[in-house]
């Protein structure tokens, strides 16, 4: 790939603002190993997922499956839907998002504001994650319809391709000096897509996948979880893009630890989303024992602004027993100490 890795000074499409996201050094260990965050909330819609949304639409157009005036249908927890909303608006497609109430309300409101039609798979107001039911409905709605595609993010190779530029951005920014990539695994597009491309440039790269406790891609037991947009809940198939050959280690982080990390990181001045909290928690745990001079990059899928009603709302957190002051204090202390190095 031979693309310019700087953005033009003036652009005329919002999608031209995708990518070139910054790297932020959150902290370093005593021996000089550092944890860098790839801040994907600096993409339009505040999430990495607009990268794959554009790639899926590009692929459908190239295959002749989507033509002017066509309709896009996707099952989404919100971030993919936000990305597809932008691309559909730019290119004149109709976009229907099949959603559930587990999604952050700000993501749902954002899609609507961008002109997207929302269809709730369960409309009784329950918060339950309904990935499998959402996907079934989206597939049914698209079946047999002319010029209509179900982008099927869990099974669409373009999802992974959409993240190839992340590899090039990292490689260029760090001059190839990246040892560990750590990121959330839902569809697997972000972590496995980035890894697939980055290993061509950095063959020794180690990749760590993080999913919520309760998710099943890295084994059981299955139970409900509140980290949104990530993981594979019971009943949903593991996405075709989750390539275990590209993930050296798969680990699980609980909601309490993930959200406590979001709240601790916020006190450094940065708002990160719930799944990124899980990723950063795992990265902080590993950092002190890495060999001297290691560079670990954590993919931050989205920012914390969308989680004011949940992760950053004490009432919501308390109602679900998600606050543990001792855990929060411990993470706060670890982070503070690592930031002094
Ligand atoms: C907030 C958030 N974190 C993590 C993920 C997982 O990313 P991927 O589906 O690329 O594995 C997503 C995907 O929707 C997400 O929205």
């Amino acid at each position: 790939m031979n693309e310019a890795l700087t953005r033009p000074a003036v652009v005329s499409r919002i999608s031209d603002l995708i990518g070139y996201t910054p790297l932020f050094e959150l902290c370093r260990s005593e021996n000089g190993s550092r944890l860098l965050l790839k801040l994907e909330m600096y993409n339009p819609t505040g999430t990495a997922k607009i990268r794959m949304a554009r790639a899926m639409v590009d692929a459908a157009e190239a295959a002749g499956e989507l033509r002017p005036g066509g309709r896009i249908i996707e099952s989404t927890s919100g971030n993919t839907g936000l990305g597809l909303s932008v691309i559909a608006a730019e290119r004149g497609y109709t976009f229907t998002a099949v959603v559930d109430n587990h999604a952050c309300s700000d993501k749902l409101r954002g899609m609507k504001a961008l002109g997207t039609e929302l269809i709730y798979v369960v409309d009784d107001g329950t918060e339950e994650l309904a990935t499998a039911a959402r996907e079934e409905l989206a597939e049914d709605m698209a079946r047999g319809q002319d010029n209509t595609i179900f982008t099927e993010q869990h099974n669409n190779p373009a999802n992974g391709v959409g993240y190839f530029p992340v590899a090039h951005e990292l490689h260029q920014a760090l001059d190839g000096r990246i040892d560990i990539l750590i990121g959330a695994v839902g569809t697997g597009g972000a972590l496995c897509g980035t890894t697939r491309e980055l290993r061509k440039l950095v063959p020794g790269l180690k990749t760590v996948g993080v999913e919520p406790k309760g998710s099943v891609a890295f084994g059981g037991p299955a139970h409900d979880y509140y980290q949104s947009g990530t993981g594979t809940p019971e009943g949903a198939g593991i996405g075709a893009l989750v390539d275990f050959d590209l993930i050296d280690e798969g680990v699980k982080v609980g909601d309490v630890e993930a959200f406590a990390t979001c709240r601790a990181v916020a006190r450094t001045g940065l708002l990160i989303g719930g799944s990124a909290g899980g990723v950063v928690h795992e990265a902080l745990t590993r950092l002190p024992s890495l060999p001297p001079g290691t560079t670990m990059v954590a993919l931050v899928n989205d920012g914390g602004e969308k989680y004011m009603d949940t992760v950053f709302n004490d009432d919501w957190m308390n109602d679900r027993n998600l606050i543990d002051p001792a855990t929060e204090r411990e993470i706060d202390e670890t982070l503070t100490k690592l930031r002094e190095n």
Side-chain angles (χ1 to χ4, degrees):
M1 200 182 291
N2 200 6
E3 60 187 57
L5 290 183
T6 50
R7 179 185 296 144
V10 177
V11 302
S12 55
R13 288 180 305 193
I14 288 300
S15 60
D16 291 333
L17 299 173
I18 296 172
Y20 324 103
T21 53
L23 279 168
F24 167 64
E25 183 178 306
L26 179 66
C27 55
R28 53 171 65 213
S29 66
E30 265 175 16
N31 69 15
S33 290
R34 55 189 183 150
L35 170 58
L36 307 181
L37 308 186
K38 178 76 167 154
L39 298 180
E40 288 286 288
M41 64 280 246
Y42 282 83
N43 284 297
T45 70
T47 165
K49 304 248 7 172
I50 193 168
R51 293 182 186 264
M52 57 75 95
R54 177 172 62 181
M56 292 195 302
V57 175
D58 284 346
E61 288 174 346
E65 291 162 3
L66 191 61
R67 301 176 301 283
R71 182 181 186 196
I72 302 166
I73 300 175
E74 181 57 287
S75 151
T76 173
S77 63
N79 278 335
T80 300
L82 283 168
L84 284 171
S85 298
V86 171
I87 306 301
E90 276 187 356
R91 301 188 190 182
Y93 298 122
T94 303
F95 172 44
T96 302
V98 182
V99 299
D100 57 42
N101 280 306
H102 187 267
C104 290
S105 56
D106 275 355
K107 295 179 189 172
L108 300 173
R109 286 196 289 257
M111 281 190 270
K112 220 166 157 204
L114 287 161
T116 292
E117 175 194 29
L118 301 186
I119 305 244
Y120 286 81
V121 72
V122 248
D123 58 9
D124 58 4
T126 54
E127 279 183 354
E128 217 161 288
L129 182 56
T131 312
R134 273 191 341 232
E135 282 173 12
E136 238 169 73
L137 179 59
E139 190 170 4
D140 281 353
M141 285 171 60
R143 189 172 299 121
Q145 302 296 315
D146 181 46
N147 200 11
T148 297
I149 55 156
F150 168 35
T151 34
E152 207 182 350
Q153 56 174 323
H154 283 85
N155 195 25
N156 188 333
N159 175 353
V161 173
Y163 295 97
F164 287 0
V166 178
H168 293 273
E169 289 170 30
L170 289 174
H171 185 256
Q172 178 176 288
L174 298 170
D175 231 354
R177 287 194 298 272
I178 167 169
D179 304 292
I180 302 172
L181 182 69
I182 182 166
V185 177
T187 67
L191 189 67
C192 295
T194 306
T195 299
R196 188 177 297 283
E197 191 69 1
L198 193 51
R199 286 224 176 123
K200 292 182 193 159
L201 306 164
V202 184
L205 176 78
K206 178 177 172 177
T207 293
V208 180
V210 180
E211 69 173 357
K213 274 189 186 156
S215 162
V216 298
F218 302 138
H223 57 76
D224 290 349
Y225 55 83
Y226 287 104
Q227 289 164 75
S228 94
T230 187
T232 309
E234 193 173 26
I238 297 173
L241 295 144
V242 180
D243 184 341
F244 292 100
D245 288 342
L246 293 173
I247 303 173
D248 297 298
E249 263 186 87
V251 298
K252 292 168 175 291
V253 177
D255 290 331
V256 170
E257 290 76 14
F259 296 165
T261 305
C262 295
R263 292 156 71 104
V265 171
R267 290 188 279 275
T268 73
L270 177 70
L271 292 171
I272 61 171
S275 70
V279 171
V280 172
H281 184 268
E282 182 63 25
L284 288 175
T285 308
R286 286 167 182 253
L287 190 65
S289 50
L290 294 177
T294 301
T295 294
M296 174 162 50
V297 173
L299 298 175
V300 171
N301 192 299
D302 65 6
E305 289 83 351
K306 294 167 180 164
Y307 302 88
M308 289 303 136
D309 294 337
T310 54
V311 176
F312 296 102
N313 177 327
D314 286 355
D315 293 336
W316 186 91
M317 292 281 286
N318 276 320
D319 287 349
R320 290 158 185 77
N321 280 326
L322 291 171
I323 294 189
D324 176 21
T327 303
E328 218 164 291
R329 209 173 315 116
E330 195 184 315
I331 295 167
D332 227 350
E333 281 166 16
T334 303
L335 185 55
T336 305
K337 194 156 165 268
L338 286 169
R339 281 177 66 77
E340 282 163 2
N341 291 316

